[in-house]
Amino acid sequence: MAEGKTIVVKIKRQASPTEPARWEEFSVRWRPNMNVIACLIDIAENPVTRYGKPTTPVSYEANCLEEVCGACAVVINGRSRQACSALVDHLDQPIRIEPMSSFPIVRDLVVDRSKMFEDAKRLRCWVPIDGTYDIGPGPRIAPERQQVAYALSRCIFCGNCLEVCPKVNEHSDFVGAALINQVRLFNMHPTGAMHAHERLQAVRGIGGIQECDNAQNCVKACPKGIPLTESNNDVNRQALLDAIFGWMFR
Amino acid sequence: MNPTRVILIGGGLAGLMAAIRVAELGHAVDLFSVVPVRRSHSVCAQGGINAAKNLKGEGDSTWQHFDDTVYGGDFLQNQPLVKGMCEAAPGIIDLLDRMGVTFNRTPEGLLDFRRFGGTLYHRTAFAGATTGQQLLYALDEQVRRFEAEGKIRKLEGWMFVSAVLDDAGVCRGVTAVSLRSGEVRAFPADAIIVATGGIGSIFRQSTNSVACTGSAQSALFQQGVNYANAEMIQVHPTAIPGEDKCRLISESVRGEGGRVWVPKTPGDTRDPRAIPDAERFYFLEEWYPKYGNLVPRDVATRAIHKVVFEEGLGIDGKAMVYLDVTHLPREMLTRKLGGVLEIYEKFVGLDPRDHPMKVFPAQHYTMGGVWVDNENQATNVPGIYAAGECEYQYHGANRLGANSLLSCIYGGMLAGPAAVRYAQNLAKGSDTVSSDVYERERKRQEDIYEKLRGQEGSENPITIWKEMGETMTQHVTVIRYNKDLEAADAKLAELQERYKRINLADRARWGNQSLHFTRELGNMLVLARLITQCAALRNESRGAHYKPDFPERDDENWLRTTRAEYDNGSFKIHLDPVDTSLITPRKRSYKS
Ligand SMILES: Cc1cc2nc3c(=O)[nH]c(=O)nc-3n(C[C@H](O)[C@H](O)[C@H](O)COP(=O)(O)OP(=O)(O)OC[C@H]3O[C@@H](n4cnc5c(N)ncnc54)[C@H](O)[C@@H]3O)c2cc1C
């Protein structure tokens, strides 16, 4: 592609949850190695549509811009993904950008993903420690086990796995793959495992693991390559065993 | 014990640690953050966190860690707290380990350690190459636990705007704005802790996250909080240049054996893999045989500048050098550096296991920051504490790699209990303060917002931001000349004038990001000028601050902290002595 070229971007706009959505088209100057975020910054500098109509800058979430904070998840050309790592040269044009639809809309591309953090609370996704004073090292962990846990712990709470899940919608409370994976992570930790029952009980509750119908879209949508289906199966098995034999340990 | 309320501004490592400490002591915490705390900039940290645990039989010690840190900082730190931090470090690693951080392990199941810049020891604990992410998550999860118990209240999506000061100049709370509704509200507290991180956005393309604007620090500075060593800005030697940001390639890549080189022949257009070893210039290894690729960042960055701009050896004649890991075992690379190599792969489109990476220096960190005392993170304003990258205490004129995560956690550990102690000793708590005090400040801030929203003019905030970033990157980073610094300050003053004529294309209250950004931009411009003016003042070279016209360190005149005080739009800069009572300053050289 040559300098001087422009890119066409179509963005779904919505001024607030109560206002109707509409599409706007922009034309942005192409530069090498551009990502979708660079397009949005350009639009903020010159908020005029492709047809010369003045408009407002697009609201969007972003922070790290290197796919580790999880903020900038949007749907680009029909695929739910992080905007920072969506490189313009790899996208068909016009580039269609819209907010994720599984979460309540705030404005333009901003949605409210607080449900994920609330679920993390409900599922007790932490290692309960006695306190932050210095009481010596943690448990020893085999390197192989660390490698498995590390892969699970890279979840950035972007919500892409929820966006693509057929079971996540306004009629269900399904917690989704990201949170089930967290249950597996904390149940794996030697201290976390002491409280596995609480998490399994919660994950069997409303919107829990039984809602998963194994469509396996989640694992394909995960930008961090987390083995989400494997986590689902593992937690399912744990939950089943806990339901049958759990009483023996209480 | 009277129940007190502490406000935390910022939920990166420093803020979360402080919040946990306050909650553990049984006091209420309001935790403010512009982004959900789990998305804070600390997630970006890749390489690791330092602690002299000496698990590799090298004879490492906390004193050696202390000495490396002070030497690396070119002796500009007040030493006692730095020593305290290094002594606390092994215990901090244990704590993080107990919280479930997935640190890499040795075959015996113990923590593994790697090398980092500015030391000869394996002192850096790491979780793959996303250590900051793993640490932040561990603290975030502990905070969530307190939140579930009702001990911490999170106010995510609320941006700190100003401190509420009573007539005696004591801090009694904050005002904040909801990024969603645009509402400005006052929140009372007995003490506040600022943990708002870095200031990379002032340089526009830095390795920092979008939220690292320094706006909160600047707002506090303008309200009377002192700011120290503003001129000390770290430029990291190895980042991928980018339009929206510069993406860091961590020092850990060199810690695990990565090598920096350029072709010996200027303008050599061959594929790097076709260039034989004898025709490559491993300039860091050649110039600094003892530390090689692991010299501190200021040294490596200047060396790259020299090789590129003075010797004309940049790749394809461009401002770029190779960072090469292609000689290292693939399995090791994936296990220990996967996270960072992935960034190169995703954003450049080449696998660094096969292709040497092309990198260049980028603004990365501020050693300078909010002034705090030498005991417990207190600023000069009663009731305001600070911790993390936003304050100046631990890194002097140059920060060593993997020391920041440590200083954030250590600072947070001190600030939490200190704020509680202060609040407990207050003769009158915030509940006795008249509501007028809060309403006055709230109204003042709301008026500023309303004025901005209605303002007419022809200027665009993004354009001003870009020009500020260009000016700062060009004149106030690696190499500094007084005449350029003067020109930069004049340019910034011009931008401040143009700022008054900003016309917001968006006049809504709901979710108006340009409005909030523009408010921050005004504060960024003040901090940019402070950095520039302090840089102009310091006529010597020390750590990251390098002036070719004053190439030597000058202890006699400049072993001083520059402590700035805001004075009606201009800055009074005081030169304070530095506490070097534990290690006598000596010449700094990494050549042998
Ligand atoms: C790419 C990269 C890699 C790094 N790698 C390492 C490493 O390997 N080892 C190491 O030791 N250091 C590393 N560093 C440095 C280290 O990551 C940072 O210095 C550290 O994470 C800063 O933490 P913090 O808690 O001070 O602030 P942050 O993590 O930046 O958090 C700041 C918080 O303040 C909030 N905030 C900001 N402004 C406001 C406001 N006005 N109102 C409300 N809230 C606000 C934000 O939302 C956020 O929650 C790295 C830095 C970068 C850029």
Side-chain angles (χ1 to χ4, degrees):
Chain A
M1 277 197 252
E3 298 264 0
K5 213 181 129 66
T6 57
I7 310 154
V8 177
V9 187
K10 277 184 82 168
I11 302 176
K12 192 173 178 188
R13 309 288 310 264
Q14 187 168 347
S16 79
T18 52
E19 263 159 276
R22 63 184 200 285
W23 287 85
E24 272 180 356
E25 274 184 50
F26 299 90
S27 140
V28 174
R29 191 171 58 83
W30 178 87
R31 276 102 64 209
N33 270 328
M34 254 180 130
N35 59 3
V36 163
I37 298 288
C39 297
L40 294 171
I41 297 175
D42 273 25
I43 294 170
E45 187 170 12
N46 182 27
V48 175
T49 70
R50 201 180 159 199
Y51 307 106
K53 186 173 151 258
T55 181
T56 53
V58 180
S59 291
Y60 63 97
E61 274 187 85
N63 199 25
C64 76
L65 306 183
E66 49 196 53
E67 216 186 55
V68 69
C69 79
C72 65
V74 288
V75 178
I76 300 173
N77 288 349
R79 194 181 135 207
S80 182
R81 56 183 301 183
Q82 300 309 110
C84 65
S85 58
L87 303 183
V88 161
D89 290 350
H90 299 173
L91 297 169
D92 289 336
Q93 286 187 38
I95 301 171
R96 288 165 53 95
I97 312 171
E98 53 195 308
M100 294 197 288
S101 60
S102 303
F103 302 94
I105 184 96
V106 176
R107 179 177 166 174
D108 294 341
L109 303 175
V110 181
V111 295
D112 182 351
R113 282 171 281 182
S114 51
K115 164 188 159 53
M116 297 182 76
F117 300 117
E118 286 305 315
D119 283 340
K121 222 186 276 172
R122 198 156 61 81
L123 296 175
R124 310 180 76 75
C125 297
W126 52 74
V127 173
I129 58 165
D130 288 352
T132 62
Y133 25 86
D134 186 4
I135 50 172
R140 286 196 186 193
I141 293 175
E144 292 72 29
R145 210 176 159 76
Q146 178 271 339
Q147 286 291 298
V148 175
Y150 174 69
L152 308 182
S153 71
R154 293 185 66 202
C155 171
I156 58 178
F157 277 57
C158 55
N160 286 308
C161 60
L162 273 72
E163 175 68 10
V164 299
C165 176
K167 301 298 281 192
V168 175
N169 53 53
E170 62 267 43
H171 308 297
S172 104
D173 297 317
F174 182 41
V175 296
L179 275 298
I180 292 173
N181 176 69
Q182 291 285 310
V183 170
R184 178 178 179 209
L185 171 65
F186 290 100
N187 284 2
M188 255 185 94
H189 186 270
T191 312
M194 297 173 193
H195 308 263
H197 170 69
E198 291 173 5
R199 281 183 214 101
L200 293 171
Q201 217 175 13
V203 87
R204 278 199 312 268
I206 301 166
I209 190 155
Q210 69 285 352
E211 309 237 348
C212 168
D213 68 1
N214 219 11
Q216 307 203 0
N217 295 350
C218 51
V219 70
K220 288 176 222 136
C222 177
K224 295 284 122 180
I226 299 171
L228 294 171
T229 353
E230 198 182 291
S231 293
N232 255 338
N233 294 340
D234 186 86
V235 173
N236 214 347
R237 188 182 47 81
Q238 289 186 41
L240 205 68
L241 288 176
D242 183 76
I244 302 170
F245 302 112
W247 59 271
M248 296 206 293
F249 307 106
R250 256 160 280 150
Chain B
M1 177 180 92
N2 300 314
T4 55
R5 179 169 298 277
V6 175
I7 281 182
L8 260 146
I9 307 157
L13 284 182
L16 295 178
M17 190 67 235
I20 293 169
R21 275 288 159 110
V22 175
E24 253 180 4
L25 291 168
H27 299 278
V29 179
D30 280 350
L31 174 54
F32 288 75
S33 174
V34 288
V35 295
V37 296
R38 203 178 170 89
R39 309 198 194 286
S40 293
H41 168 70
S42 291
V43 285
C44 282
Q46 302 169 351
I49 174 167
N50 286 337
K53 275 200 158 271
N54 191 32
L55 294 184
K56 301 262 183 209
E58 297 170 324
D60 196 8
S61 65
T62 57
W63 182 272
Q64 188 60 48
H65 183 188
F66 171 44
D67 190 80
D68 282 343
T69 302
V70 169
Y71 187 69
D74 226 347
F75 295 93
L76 197 60
Q77 298 101 318
N78 294 302
Q79 296 175 356
L81 276 185
V82 181
K83 178 165 175 278
M85 169 180 86
C86 297
E87 285 169 352
I92 287 175
I93 301 293
D94 286 345
L95 169 62
L96 294 165
D97 185 22
R98 281 169 47 226
M99 287 180 181
V101 172
T102 57
F103 284 119
N104 279 52
R105 303 280 165 167
T106 66
E108 206 177 318
L110 297 169
L111 300 178
D112 200 1
F113 285 81
R114 68 170 150 224
R115 273 193 64 194
F116 243 75
T119 182
L120 298 170
Y121 298 88
H122 286 78
R123 186 184 289 150
T124 307
F126 59 102
T130 61
T131 312
Q133 176 197 31
Q134 299 302 312
L135 263 47
L136 185 80
Y137 288 1
L139 296 185
D140 171 59
E141 285 143 12
Q142 296 301 320
V143 164
R144 189 163 294 107
R145 183 176 163 213
F146 283 115
E147 206 191 353
E149 292 169 10
K151 293 176 179 160
I152 293 180
R153 173 169 73 138
K154 275 194 198 141
L155 291 118
E156 292 170 326
W158 281 86
M159 186 166 89
F160 164 86
V161 178
S162 68
V164 175
L165 304 176
D166 68 14
D167 295 336
V170 176
C171 178
R172 298 299 193 168
V174 303
T175 67
V177 65
S178 161
L179 299 179
R180 209 170 270 188
S181 71
E183 179 199 357
V184 181
R185 205 190 284 175
F187 296 84
D190 301 301
I192 75 170
I193 302 173
V194 189
T196 46
I199 62 166
S201 192
I202 289 178
F203 296 81
R204 183 163 167 244
Q205 284 134 331
S206 83
T207 62
N208 289 190
S209 299
V210 174
C212 303
T213 62
S215 168
Q217 294 91 301
S218 174
L220 288 163
F221 172 58
Q222 293 166 65
Q223 287 189 291
V225 174
N226 289 176
Y227 197 95
N229 290 344
E231 69 277 19
M232 292 303 175
I233 298 294
Q234 179 165 80
V235 178
H236 195 290
T238 60
I240 318 168
E243 173 89 19
D244 55 331
K245 88 172 284 191
C246 295
R247 296 179 175 84
L248 182 77
I249 300 298
S250 165
E251 195 167 282
S252 56
V253 169
R254 283 170 284 140
E256 298 292 354
R259 302 175 76 185
V260 176
W261 62 277
V262 287
K264 279 187 178 162
T265 324
D268 193 329
T269 52
R270 279 177 293 175
D271 182 301
R273 291 165 299 179
I275 301 177
D277 229 34
E279 294 173 39
R280 298 174 177 192
F281 183 19
Y282 293 98
F283 53 95
L284 290 175
E285 296 168 37
E286 218 156 281
W287 292 342
Y288 304 98
K290 190 167 170 194
Y291 285 81
N293 292 290
L294 288 175
V295 286
R297 290 169 182 174
D298 57 323
V299 178
T301 294
R302 280 194 292 274
I304 293 174
H305 259 245
K306 182 167 169 188
V307 118
V308 167
F309 297 118
E310 288 175 32
E311 311 202 350
L313 290 175
I315 305 167
D316 302 333
K318 293 197 189 121
M320 218 100 86
V321 300
Y322 287 121
L323 170 55
D324 197 345
V325 295
T326 56
H327 57 289
L328 298 170
R330 295 182 81 89
E331 178 279 329
M332 182 284 279
L333 288 174
T334 303
R335 181 163 44 85
K336 292 187 166 174
L337 298 172
V340 53
L341 301 182
E342 219 171 71
I343 291 178
Y344 195 83
E345 236 175 317
K346 284 206 173 164
F347 290 91
V348 178
L350 290 172
D351 185 348
R353 296 167 192 84
D354 300 320
H355 301 265
M357 295 177 268
K358 290 183 185 177
V359 295
F360 195 69
Q363 194 281 342
H364 181 61
Y365 186 84
T366 174
M367 279 74 72
V370 170
W371 182 89
V372 288
D373 69 6
N374 292 347
E375 278 156 38
N376 60 16
Q377 311 289 131
T379 71
N380 59 305
V381 174
I384 305 183
Y385 291 74
E389 186 171 339
C390 70
E391 56 87 344
Y392 94 113
Q393 184 67 259
Y394 296 92
H395 307 291
N398 173 66
R399 170 174 75 82
L400 290 191
N403 259 352
S404 173
L405 299 180
L406 177 62
S407 64
C408 286
I409 294 177
Y410 182 68
M413 281 181 155
L414 292 186
V420 167
R421 263 195 314 276
Y422 162 86
Q424 290 289 295
N425 290 330
L426 270 178
K428 286 183 172 164
S430 59
D431 48 344
T432 65
V433 177
S434 145
S435 61
D436 293 350
V437 171
Y438 294 101
E439 180 50 25
R440 207 167 52 207
E441 181 61 18
R442 194 201 68 77
K443 183 77 176 49
R444 187 171 81 91
Q445 295 301 337
E446 192 177 69
D447 288 349
I448 298 175
Y449 267 104
E450 286 306 306
K451 177 157 174 278
L452 195 56
R453 225 157 51 85
Q455 192 166 299
E456 300 290 338
S458 54
E459 293 287 347
N460 176 287
I462 303 285
T463 310
I464 293 181
W465 174 53
K466 284 183 176 171
E467 289 184 31
M468 170 179 68
E470 268 157 37
T471 305
M472 294 301 287
T473 303
Q474 200 180 348
H475 299 304
V476 202
T477 50
V478 187
I479 296 181
R480 298 166 169 187
Y481 291 98
N482 281 344
K483 68 169 182 2
D484 293 350
L485 293 168
E486 265 169 48
D489 191 51
K491 172 76 187 178
L492 295 168
E494 175 211 311
L495 293 177
Q496 282 183 317
E497 278 308 307
R498 284 168 53 192
Y499 177 86
K500 296 178 188 156
R501 297 193 296 276
I502 283 179
N503 192 335
L504 291 178
D506 188 354
R507 304 202 180 243
R509 242 191 217 100
W510 181 264
N512 186 339
Q513 292 180 338
S514 337
L515 175 64
H516 302 300
F517 176 76
T518 304
R519 205 54 219 279
E520 292 200 285
L521 179 64
N523 287 333
M524 283 191 250
L525 283 164
V526 173
L527 209 48
R529 291 197 69 183
L530 180 64
I531 294 166
T532 308
Q533 290 186 20
C534 289
L537 193 67
R538 186 180 283 279
N539 279 334
E540 66 159 350
S541 292
R542 182 187 297 271
H545 174 76
Y546 177 65
K547 282 187 173 173
D549 295 337
F550 303 89
E552 299 298 324
R553 191 175 91 193
D554 172 5
D555 281 354
E556 181 142 352
N557 295 302
W558 287 106
L559 183 52
R560 299 279 188 280
T561 299
T562 52
R563 179 171 54 81
E565 195 185 325
Y566 188 79
D567 183 19
N568 249 327
S570 60
F571 314 133
K572 262 195 211 144
I573 301 169
H574 307 268
L575 301 179
D576 294 349
V578 179
D579 181 346
T580 55
S581 54
L582 299 165
I583 301 175
T584 312
R586 58 185 190 273
K587 190 174 157 49
R588 178 182 188 249
S589 159
Y590 288 89
K591 296 226 169 197
S592 54

